[in-house]
Coordinates of all heavy atoms in Angstrom, one line a residue:
M199 N 200.0 75.0 204.9 CA 200.1 75.0 203.5 C 200.0 73.5 203.0 O 200.7 72.7 203.5 CB 201.4 75.6 203.0 CG 201.5 75.8 201.5 SD 200.6 77.2 201.1 CE 201.0 77.3 199.4
P200 N 199.1 73.2 202.1 CA 199.0 71.8 201.6 C 200.2 71.4 200.9 O 201.0 72.2 200.4 CB 197.8 71.9 200.6 CG 197.1 73.1 201.0 CD 198.1 74.1 201.6
R201 N 200.5 70.1 201.0 CA 201.7 69.5 200.3 C 201.2 68.3 199.4 O 200.3 67.6 199.8 CB 202.7 69.0 201.4 CG 203.2 70.1 202.2 CD 204.1 69.6 203.3 NE 205.1 68.7 202.9 CZ 205.8 68.0 203.8 NH1 205.6 68.1 205.1 NH2 206.8 67.1 203.4
P202 N 201.9 68.1 198.3 CA 201.6 67.0 197.4 C 201.8 65.7 198.1 O 202.7 65.5 198.9 CB 202.5 67.1 196.3 CG 203.0 68.5 196.3 CD 203.0 69.0 197.8
R203 N 200.9 64.7 197.9 CA 200.9 63.4 198.5 C 202.3 62.7 198.2 O 202.8 62.0 199.1 CB 199.8 62.5 197.9 CG 198.5 62.9 198.4 CD 197.4 62.0 197.8 NE 197.4 60.6 198.3 CZ 196.7 60.1 199.3 NH1 195.8 60.9 199.9 NH2 196.8 58.9 199.7
E204 N 202.9 62.9 197.0 CA 204.1 62.2 196.7 C 205.3 62.7 197.5 O 206.3 62.0 197.6 CB 204.4 62.3 195.2 CG 204.7 63.7 194.7 CD 203.4 64.4 194.2 OE1 202.3 63.8 194.2 OE2 203.5 65.6 193.8
E205 N 205.1 63.7 198.3 CA 206.2 64.1 199.2 C 206.3 63.3 200.5 O 207.2 63.3 201.2 CB 206.0 65.6 199.7 CG 206.3 66.6 198.6 CD 206.2 68.0 199.1 OE1 206.1 68.2 200.3 OE2 206.1 68.9 198.2
F206 N 205.3 62.4 200.7 CA 205.2 61.6 201.9 C 205.5 60.1 201.6 O 205.0 59.6 200.7 CB 203.8 61.7 202.5 CG 203.5 63.1 203.0 CD1 202.9 64.0 202.2 CD2 203.9 63.5 204.3 CE1 202.6 65.3 202.6 CE2 203.6 64.8 204.7 CZ 202.9 65.7 203.9
D207 N 206.4 59.6 202.4 CA 206.8 58.2 202.2 C 205.8 57.2 202.9 O 205.7 56.1 202.5 CB 208.2 57.9 202.8 CG 209.3 58.6 202.0 OD1 209.1 58.9 200.8 OD2 210.3 59.0 202.6
D208 N 205.2 57.7 204.0 CA 204.4 56.8 204.8 C 203.0 57.4 205.0 O 202.8 58.3 205.8 CB 205.1 56.6 206.2 CG 204.3 55.6 207.0 OD1 203.5 54.8 206.5 OD2 204.6 55.6 208.3
I209 N 202.0 57.0 204.3 CA 200.6 57.4 204.4 C 199.8 56.2 204.9 O 199.8 55.1 204.3 CB 200.1 57.9 203.1 CG1 200.9 59.2 202.6 CG2 198.6 58.3 203.3 CD1 200.4 59.7 201.3
R210 N 199.2 56.4 206.1 CA 198.5 55.3 206.7 C 197.0 55.5 206.8 O 196.6 56.7 206.7 CB 199.0 55.0 208.1 CG 200.5 54.6 208.1 CD 201.0 54.6 209.5 NE 201.8 55.8 209.7 CZ 202.1 56.3 210.8 NH1 201.9 55.7 211.9 NH2 202.8 57.4 210.9
D211 N 196.2 54.5 207.1 CA 194.8 54.7 207.3 C 194.6 55.5 208.7 O 195.4 55.3 209.6 CB 194.1 53.3 207.5 CG 194.0 52.6 206.1 OD1 194.1 53.3 205.1 OD2 193.9 51.4 206.2
F212 N 193.6 56.2 208.7 CA 193.3 57.0 209.9 C 192.4 56.1 210.8 O 191.2 55.9 210.5 CB 192.5 58.3 209.5 CG 192.4 59.3 210.5 CD1 193.5 59.9 211.0 CD2 191.1 59.7 211.0 CE1 193.4 60.9 212.0 CE2 191.0 60.7 212.0 CZ 192.2 61.3 212.4
E213 N 192.9 55.6 211.9 CA 192.2 54.7 212.8 C 192.2 55.2 214.2 O 193.3 55.7 214.7 CB 192.8 53.3 212.7 CG 192.8 52.7 211.4 CD 193.5 51.3 211.4 OE1 193.7 50.8 212.4 OE2 193.7 50.8 210.3
F214 N 191.1 55.0 214.9 CA 191.1 55.3 216.4 C 190.7 54.0 217.1 O 190.0 53.1 216.5 CB 190.0 56.3 216.7 CG 190.5 57.7 216.4 CD1 189.9 58.4 215.3 CD2 191.4 58.3 217.2 CE1 190.3 59.7 215.1 CE2 191.8 59.6 216.9 CZ 191.3 60.3 215.9
Y215 N 191.2 53.8 218.3 CA 190.9 52.7 219.1 C 189.6 52.9 219.8 O 189.2 54.0 220.1 CB 192.0 52.5 220.1 CG 193.3 52.1 219.5 CD1 194.3 53.1 219.5 CD2 193.6 50.9 219.0 CE1 195.6 52.8 219.0 CE2 194.8 50.6 218.5 CZ 195.8 51.6 218.5 OH 197.1 51.3 217.9
D216 N 188.9 51.8 220.2 CA 187.8 51.9 221.1 C 188.4 51.9 222.5 O 189.5 51.4 222.8 CB 187.0 50.6 221.0 CG 186.1 50.6 219.7 OD1 185.8 51.7 219.2 OD2 185.9 49.5 219.2
P217 N 187.7 52.6 223.5 CA 188.3 52.7 224.8 C 188.7 51.3 225.4 O 189.7 51.2 226.1 CB 187.1 53.3 225.6 CG 186.4 54.1 224.6 CD 186.5 53.3 223.3
E218 N 187.9 50.3 225.1 CA 188.2 49.0 225.7 C 189.5 48.4 225.2 O 190.1 47.5 225.8 CB 187.1 48.0 225.4 CG 185.8 48.3 226.0 CD 185.0 49.4 225.2 OE1 185.3 49.7 224.1 OE2 184.1 50.0 225.8
E219 N 190.0 48.9 224.1 CA 191.3 48.5 223.5 C 192.5 49.2 224.1 O 193.6 48.8 224.0 CB 191.3 48.7 222.0 CG 190.3 47.9 221.2 CD 190.4 48.3 219.7 OE1 189.8 49.4 219.4 OE2 190.9 47.5 219.0
V220 N 192.2 50.3 224.8 CA 193.3 51.2 225.3 C 193.4 51.1 226.9 O 194.5 51.1 227.4 CB 193.0 52.6 224.9 CG1 194.1 53.5 225.5 CG2 193.0 52.7 223.4
L221 N 192.2 51.0 227.6 CA 192.2 51.1 229.0 C 191.9 49.8 229.7 O 191.2 48.9 229.1 CB 191.1 52.1 229.4 CG 191.2 53.5 228.8 CD1 190.0 54.3 229.2 CD2 192.5 54.2 229.1
E222 N 192.5 49.6 230.9 CA 192.2 48.4 231.7 C 190.9 48.6 232.4 O 190.7 49.7 233.0 CB 193.3 48.1 232.6 CG 194.7 47.8 232.0 CD 194.6 46.5 231.2 OE1 193.9 45.6 231.6 OE2 195.2 46.4 230.2
P223 N 190.0 47.6 232.5 CA 188.7 47.9 233.2 C 188.8 48.2 234.7 O 187.8 48.8 235.2 CB 187.9 46.6 232.9 CG 189.0 45.6 232.5 CD 190.1 46.3 232.0
D224 N 189.8 47.8 235.3 CA 189.9 48.0 236.8 C 190.8 49.2 237.2 O 191.2 49.3 238.3 CB 190.4 46.7 237.4 CG 191.8 46.3 237.0 OD1 192.2 46.8 235.9 OD2 192.5 45.5 237.7
Q225 N 191.1 50.1 236.2 CA 192.0 51.2 236.5 C 191.2 52.5 236.1 O 190.4 52.5 235.2 CB 193.2 51.1 235.6 CG 194.1 49.9 235.9 CD 194.7 50.0 237.3 OE1 195.3 51.0 237.7 NE2 194.6 48.9 238.0
L226 N 191.6 53.6 236.7 CA 191.2 54.9 236.4 C 192.5 55.7 236.0 O 193.5 55.6 236.6 CB 190.5 55.6 237.5 CG 189.2 55.0 238.0 CD1 188.6 55.8 239.2 CD2 188.2 55.1 236.8
Y227 N 192.3 56.6 235.0 CA 193.4 57.3 234.4 C 193.1 58.8 234.3 O 192.0 59.2 234.1 CB 193.7 56.8 233.0 CG 193.8 55.4 232.8 CD1 192.8 54.5 232.7 CD2 195.1 54.8 232.8 CE1 192.9 53.1 232.5 CE2 195.3 53.4 232.6 CZ 194.2 52.6 232.5 OH 194.4 51.2 232.3
T228 N 194.2 59.6 234.3 CA 194.1 61.0 234.0 C 194.0 61.2 232.5 O 194.3 60.2 231.8 CB 195.2 61.9 234.6 OG1 196.4 61.5 233.8 CG2 195.5 61.7 236.1
V229 N 193.5 62.3 232.0 CA 193.4 62.6 230.6 C 194.8 62.5 230.0 O 195.0 62.1 228.9 CB 192.7 63.9 230.3 CG1 193.4 65.1 230.8 CG2 192.3 63.9 228.8
Y230 N 195.8 62.9 230.8 CA 197.2 62.9 230.3 C 197.7 61.5 230.1 O 198.4 61.2 229.1 CB 198.1 63.6 231.3 CG 197.7 65.0 231.6 CD1 197.0 65.3 232.8 CD2 198.0 66.0 230.8 CE1 196.6 66.6 233.1 CE2 197.7 67.4 231.0 CZ 197.0 67.6 232.2 OH 196.6 68.9 232.4
E231 N 197.3 60.6 231.0 CA 197.7 59.2 230.8 C 197.0 58.5 229.6 O 197.5 57.8 228.9 CB 197.4 58.4 232.1 CG 198.3 58.8 233.3 CD 197.8 58.3 234.6 OE1 196.6 58.1 234.8 OE2 198.6 58.2 235.5
I232 N 195.7 58.9 229.5 CA 194.9 58.4 228.3 C 195.5 58.8 227.0 O 195.7 58.1 226.1 CB 193.5 58.8 228.5 CG1 192.8 58.0 229.6 CG2 192.7 58.5 227.1 CD1 191.4 58.5 230.0
A233 N 196.0 60.1 227.0 CA 196.6 60.7 225.8 C 197.8 59.9 225.4 O 198.1 59.6 224.3 CB 196.9 62.2 226.0
R234 N 198.6 59.6 226.4 CA 199.9 58.8 226.2 C 199.5 57.4 225.7 O 200.1 56.9 224.7 CB 200.7 58.7 227.4 CG 201.4 60.0 227.9 CD 202.1 59.8 229.1 NE 202.8 61.0 229.6 CZ 202.2 61.9 230.3 NH1 200.9 61.8 230.7 NH2 202.9 63.0 230.7
L235 N 198.6 56.7 226.3 CA 198.2 55.3 225.9 C 197.7 55.3 224.5 O 197.9 54.3 223.8 CB 197.2 54.8 226.9 CG 197.7 54.5 228.3 CD1 196.5 54.2 229.2 CD2 198.6 53.3 228.2
L236 N 196.9 56.3 224.1 CA 196.4 56.3 222.7 C 197.5 56.3 221.7 O 197.3 55.9 220.5 CB 195.5 57.6 222.5 CG 194.1 57.4 223.1 CD1 193.4 58.8 223.0 CD2 193.3 56.4 222.4
Q237 N 198.7 56.8 222.1 CA 199.8 56.9 221.2 C 200.8 55.8 221.4 O 201.9 55.8 220.9 CB 200.5 58.3 221.3 CG 199.6 59.4 220.9 CD 199.2 59.4 219.4 OE1 199.9 59.0 218.6 NE2 197.9 59.7 219.2
G238 N 200.5 54.8 222.3 CA 201.4 53.7 222.6 C 202.6 54.1 223.5 O 203.6 53.4 223.5
V239 N 202.4 55.2 224.2 CA 203.4 55.6 225.2 C 203.0 55.2 226.6 O 201.8 55.2 226.9 CB 203.6 57.2 225.1 CG1 204.5 57.7 226.1 CG2 203.9 57.6 223.7
E240 N 204.0 54.8 227.4 CA 203.7 54.4 228.7 C 203.0 55.6 229.5 O 203.4 56.7 229.3 CB 205.0 54.0 229.5 CG 205.6 52.7 229.0 CD 204.7 51.5 229.2 OE1 204.0 51.4 230.3 OE2 204.6 50.7 228.3
P241 N 202.0 55.3 230.3 CA 201.3 56.4 230.9 C 202.0 57.2 231.9 O 201.7 58.4 232.1 CB 200.1 55.7 231.6 CG 200.5 54.3 231.7 CD 201.5 54.0 230.6
D242 N 203.1 56.7 232.4 CA 203.9 57.5 233.4 C 205.2 58.1 232.8 O 206.0 58.7 233.5 CB 204.3 56.6 234.6 CG 205.1 55.4 234.2 OD1 205.2 55.1 233.0 OD2 205.7 54.7 235.1
R243 N 205.3 58.1 231.5 CA 206.5 58.6 230.8 C 206.4 60.2 230.9 O 205.4 60.8 230.6 CB 206.5 58.1 229.4 CG 207.7 58.7 228.6 CD 207.8 58.0 227.3 NE 208.8 58.7 226.5 CZ 208.9 58.6 225.2 NH1 208.2 57.7 224.5 NH2 209.8 59.3 224.5
D244 N 207.6 60.8 231.2 CA 207.7 62.2 231.1 C 207.7 62.7 229.7 O 208.5 62.1 228.9 CB 208.9 62.7 231.9 CG 208.7 62.6 233.4 OD1 207.6 62.7 233.9 OD2 209.7 62.5 234.1
L245 N 206.9 63.7 229.4 CA 207.0 64.3 228.0 C 207.2 65.8 228.2 O 206.7 66.4 229.1 CB 205.7 64.0 227.3 CG 205.3 62.6 227.1 CD1 203.9 62.5 226.5 CD2 206.3 61.9 226.2
D246 N 207.7 66.4 227.1 CA 207.9 67.8 227.2 C 206.5 68.4 227.0 O 205.6 67.8 226.4 CB 208.8 68.3 226.1 CG 208.4 68.1 224.7 OD1 207.6 68.9 224.1 OD2 208.7 67.0 224.1
P247 N 206.2 69.6 227.4 CA 204.9 70.2 227.4 C 204.4 70.3 226.0 O 203.1 70.2 225.8 CB 205.1 71.6 228.0 CG 206.3 71.5 228.9 CD 207.2 70.5 228.2
G248 N 205.2 70.6 225.0 CA 204.7 70.7 223.6 C 204.1 69.4 223.1 O 203.1 69.4 222.5
T249 N 204.8 68.3 223.4 CA 204.4 67.0 223.0 C 203.1 66.6 223.7 O 202.2 66.1 223.1 CB 205.5 66.0 223.2 OG1 206.6 66.3 222.4 CG2 205.0 64.6 222.8
E250 N 203.1 66.9 225.0 CA 201.9 66.6 225.8 C 200.7 67.4 225.2 O 199.6 66.8 225.2 CB 202.1 66.9 227.2 CG 201.0 66.4 228.1 CD 201.5 66.0 229.5 OE1 201.9 67.0 230.2 OE2 201.6 64.8 229.8
D251 N 200.9 68.6 224.9 CA 199.7 69.4 224.3 C 199.2 68.8 223.0 O 198.0 68.7 222.8 CB 200.2 70.8 224.0 CG 200.4 71.7 225.3 OD1 199.9 71.2 226.3 OD2 200.9 72.7 225.2
I252 N 200.1 68.3 222.2 CA 199.7 67.6 220.9 C 198.9 66.4 221.2 O 197.9 66.1 220.6 CB 200.9 67.3 220.0 CG1 201.5 68.7 219.5 CG2 200.5 66.4 218.9 CD1 202.8 68.5 218.8
L253 N 199.4 65.6 222.2 CA 198.7 64.3 222.5 C 197.3 64.6 223.1 O 196.3 63.9 222.8 CB 199.5 63.5 223.5 CG 200.8 63.0 223.0 CD1 201.5 62.1 224.1 CD2 200.8 62.3 221.7
L254 N 197.2 65.7 223.9 CA 195.9 66.1 224.4 C 194.9 66.5 223.3 O 193.7 66.3 223.4 CB 196.1 67.2 225.5 CG 196.6 66.8 226.8 CD1 196.9 68.0 227.7 CD2 195.7 65.8 227.5
N255 N 195.5 67.2 222.3 CA 194.6 67.6 221.2 C 194.0 66.4 220.5 O 192.9 66.6 219.9 CB 195.4 68.4 220.2 CG 195.7 69.8 220.7 OD1 195.1 70.3 221.6 ND2 196.8 70.4 220.1
W256 N 194.6 65.2 220.6 CA 194.0 64.0 220.0 C 193.1 63.3 221.0 O 192.0 62.8 220.7 CB 195.1 63.0 219.6 CG 195.8 63.4 218.4 CD1 196.9 64.2 218.2 CD2 195.4 62.9 217.1 NE1 197.2 64.3 216.9 CE2 196.4 63.5 216.2 CE3 194.5 62.1 216.6 CZ2 196.3 63.3 214.8 CZ3 194.4 61.9 215.2 CH2 195.4 62.5 214.3
A257 N 193.5 63.3 222.3 CA 192.8 62.5 223.3 C 191.4 63.1 223.7 O 190.5 62.4 223.9 CB 193.7 62.4 224.6
I258 N 191.4 64.4 223.8 CA 190.1 65.0 224.3 C 189.0 64.8 223.4 O 187.9 64.4 223.8 CB 190.3 66.5 224.7 CG1 191.3 66.6 225.9 CG2 189.0 67.2 225.0 CD1 191.8 68.0 226.3
P259 N 189.1 65.1 222.1 CA 188.0 64.8 221.2 C 187.6 63.3 221.1 O 186.5 63.0 221.1 CB 188.5 65.3 219.8 CG 189.6 66.2 220.1 CD 190.2 65.8 221.4
W260 N 188.7 62.5 221.2 CA 188.4 61.0 221.3 C 187.5 60.6 222.5 O 186.6 59.9 222.4 CB 189.8 60.2 221.3 CG 189.7 58.8 221.4 CD1 189.4 57.9 220.3 CD2 189.8 58.0 222.5 NE1 189.4 56.6 220.8 CE2 189.6 56.6 222.2 CE3 190.0 58.3 223.9 CZ2 189.7 55.6 223.1 CZ3 190.1 57.2 224.8 CH2 189.9 55.9 224.4
M261 N 187.9 61.2 223.6 CA 187.1 60.9 224.8 C 185.7 61.4 224.7 O 184.8 60.8 225.1 CB 187.8 61.6 226.1 CG 189.1 60.8 226.4 SD 189.9 61.6 227.8 CE 188.8 61.1 229.1
L262 N 185.5 62.6 224.1 CA 184.2 63.2 223.9 C 183.4 62.3 223.0 O 182.2 62.1 223.2 CB 184.3 64.6 223.4 CG 184.8 65.6 224.4 CD1 185.0 67.0 223.7 CD2 183.8 65.8 225.6
D263 N 184.0 61.8 221.9 CA 183.3 60.9 221.0 C 182.9 59.6 221.6 O 181.9 59.0 221.2 CB 184.2 60.7 219.8 CG 183.5 60.0 218.6 OD1 182.4 60.5 218.3 OD2 184.0 59.0 218.1
H264 N 183.6 59.2 222.6 CA 183.3 57.9 223.3 C 182.8 58.1 224.7 O 183.0 57.3 225.6 CB 184.6 57.0 223.4 CG 185.0 56.5 222.0 ND1 185.9 57.2 221.2 CD2 184.7 55.4 221.3 CE1 186.1 56.6 220.1 NE2 185.4 55.5 220.1
S265 N 182.2 59.3 225.0 CA 181.8 59.6 226.3 C 181.0 58.6 227.1 O 181.0 58.4 228.3 CB 181.2 61.0 226.4 OG 180.0 61.0 225.6
E266 N 180.2 57.9 226.3 CA 179.3 56.9 226.9 C 180.1 55.7 227.4 O 179.5 54.9 228.2 CB 178.2 56.4 225.9 CG 178.8 55.5 224.8 CD 179.6 56.2 223.7 OE1 179.5 57.5 223.6 OE2 180.3 55.5 222.9
S267 N 181.3 55.6 227.1 CA 182.2 54.5 227.6 C 182.9 54.8 228.8 O 183.6 53.9 229.4 CB 183.2 54.1 226.5 OG 182.6 53.6 225.3
F268 N 182.8 56.1 229.3 CA 183.6 56.5 230.4 C 182.8 56.8 231.7 O 181.7 57.2 231.6 CB 184.4 57.8 230.1 CG 185.5 57.6 229.1 CD1 185.3 57.8 227.8 CD2 186.7 57.0 229.5 CE1 186.3 57.6 226.8 CE2 187.7 56.8 228.6 CZ 187.6 57.1 227.3
V269 N 183.5 56.6 232.8 CA 183.0 57.1 234.1 C 184.1 58.1 234.6 O 185.2 58.1 234.1 CB 182.8 56.0 235.2 CG1 181.7 55.0 234.7 CG2 184.1 55.2 235.4
F270 N 183.8 58.9 235.6 CA 184.6 60.0 236.1 C 184.7 59.9 237.6 O 183.7 59.7 238.2 CB 184.1 61.3 235.6 CG 184.8 62.5 236.1 CD1 185.9 62.9 235.6 CD2 184.3 63.2 237.2 CE1 186.6 64.0 236.1 CE2 184.9 64.3 237.7 CZ 186.1 64.7 237.1
A271 N 185.9 60.1 238.1 CA 186.1 60.2 239.6 C 186.7 61.6 239.8 O 187.6 62.0 239.1 CB 187.0 59.1 240.1
E272 N 186.3 62.2 240.9 CA 186.8 63.5 241.3 C 188.2 63.5 241.6 O 188.7 62.5 242.2 CB 186.0 64.1 242.5 CG 184.5 64.4 242.2 CD 184.4 65.6 241.3 OE1 185.3 66.5 241.3 OE2 183.4 65.7 240.6
P273 N 189.0 64.5 241.3 CA 190.4 64.6 241.7 C 190.6 64.6 243.2 O 189.6 65.0 243.9 CB 190.9 65.8 241.1 CG 189.7 66.7 240.8 CD 188.6 65.7 240.6
A274 N 191.7 64.2 243.7 CA 192.0 64.3 245.2 C 192.1 65.7 245.7 O 191.8 66.0 246.8 CB 193.3 63.5 245.4
A275 N 192.5 66.7 244.8 CA 192.6 68.0 245.2 C 192.2 68.9 244.0 O 192.2 68.5 242.9 CB 194.1 68.3 245.6
D276 N 191.9 70.2 244.3 CA 191.5 71.1 243.3 C 192.5 71.3 242.2 O 192.1 71.7 241.0 CB 191.0 72.4 243.9 CG 189.8 72.3 244.7 OD1 189.0 71.3 244.5 OD2 189.5 73.2 245.5
D277 N 193.8 71.2 242.5 CA 194.8 71.4 241.5 C 195.3 70.2 240.8 O 196.3 70.2 240.1 CB 195.9 72.2 242.1 CG 196.6 71.4 243.2 OD1 196.0 70.5 243.7 OD2 197.8 71.8 243.6
E278 N 194.5 69.1 240.9 CA 194.9 67.8 240.3 C 193.8 67.5 239.3 O 192.7 67.9 239.4 CB 195.0 66.7 241.3 CG 196.1 66.9 242.3 CD 196.3 65.7 243.3 OE1 195.6 64.7 243.1 OE2 197.0 65.9 244.3
P279 N 194.2 66.6 238.2 CA 193.2 66.3 237.2 C 192.3 65.2 237.8 O 192.6 64.5 238.7 CB 194.1 65.7 236.1 CG 195.4 65.2 236.8 CD 195.6 66.1 237.9
G280 N 191.1 65.1 237.1 CA 190.2 64.0 237.5 C 190.7 62.7 236.9 O 191.7 62.6 236.1
Y281 N 190.0 61.6 237.2 CA 190.3 60.3 236.7 C 189.1 59.7 235.9 O 188.0 59.9 236.3 CB 190.7 59.4 237.9 CG 192.0 59.7 238.4 CD1 192.2 60.7 239.4 CD2 193.1 59.0 238.0 CE1 193.5 61.0 239.9 CE2 194.4 59.2 238.5 CZ 194.5 60.2 239.4 OH 195.8 60.5 239.9
Y282 N 189.5 59.0 234.8 CA 188.5 58.4 233.9 C 188.8 57.0 233.8 O 189.9 56.6 233.8 CB 188.6 59.1 232.6 CG 188.4 60.6 232.6 CD1 189.4 61.4 232.8 CD2 187.1 61.1 232.4 CE1 189.2 62.8 232.9 CE2 186.9 62.5 232.5 CZ 188.0 63.3 232.7 OH 187.8 64.7 232.8
G283 N 187.7 56.2 233.7 CA 187.8 54.8 233.4 C 186.7 54.3 232.6 O 185.8 55.0 232.2
L284 N 186.7 53.0 232.3 CA 185.6 52.4 231.5 C 184.3 52.3 232.3 O 184.4 52.0 233.5 CB 186.0 51.0 231.0 CG 187.2 50.9 230.1 CD1 187.6 49.5 229.8 CD2 186.9 51.7 228.8
A285 N 183.2 52.6 231.7 CA 181.9 52.5 232.3 C 181.6 51.1 232.7 O 182.0 50.2 232.1 CB 180.9 53.1 231.4

């Protein structure tokens, strides 16, 4: 349900980072780690599943929008996530 603007104390510009601003060039990350980094959270921090799902909802479209900036490495096992880094 929409809410009136005046109900909000903090309205900010909608900004996304470029991959080079978030990732280190010599590292590969899981999508979960990238999702955390995009929100300023340490990549190894434990999060509850609901919060992690919300972060992934932001990270995956961001990665698709910047797909030309990424390389992919296969996961070590079928039940593990792949790794992504800067192209």
Side-chain angles (χ1 to χ4, degrees):
M199 185 79 174
R201 293 173 52 191
R203 288 177 72 95
E204 63 267 0
E205 288 185 12
F206 297 91
D207 295 329
D208 185 20
I209 297 176
R210 296 173 262 164
D211 290 337
F212 193 66
E213 298 178 14
F214 283 108
Y215 297 106
D216 289 328
E218 297 78 17
E219 296 176 283
V220 179
L221 307 177
E222 296 295 326
D224 61 343
Q225 300 291 313
L226 294 177
Y227 305 86
T228 67
V229 68
Y230 303 101
E231 293 166 335
I232 292 171
R234 289 176 180 88
L235 289 168
L236 283 170
Q237 297 298 321
V239 176
E240 291 297 319
D242 58 349
R243 182 173 167 192
D244 284 332
L245 299 173
D246 65 86
T249 300
E250 190 150 69
D251 287 346
I252 290 168
L253 297 186
L254 286 173
N255 285 340
W256 283 87
I258 292 170
W260 177 82
M261 290 178 70
L262 291 171
D263 191 49
H264 292 91
S265 61
E266 72 284 347
S267 297
F268 289 100
V269 294
F270 174 80
E272 292 289 334
D276 288 341
D277 61 343
E278 294 182 13
Y281 285 84
Y282 303 85
L284 296 174

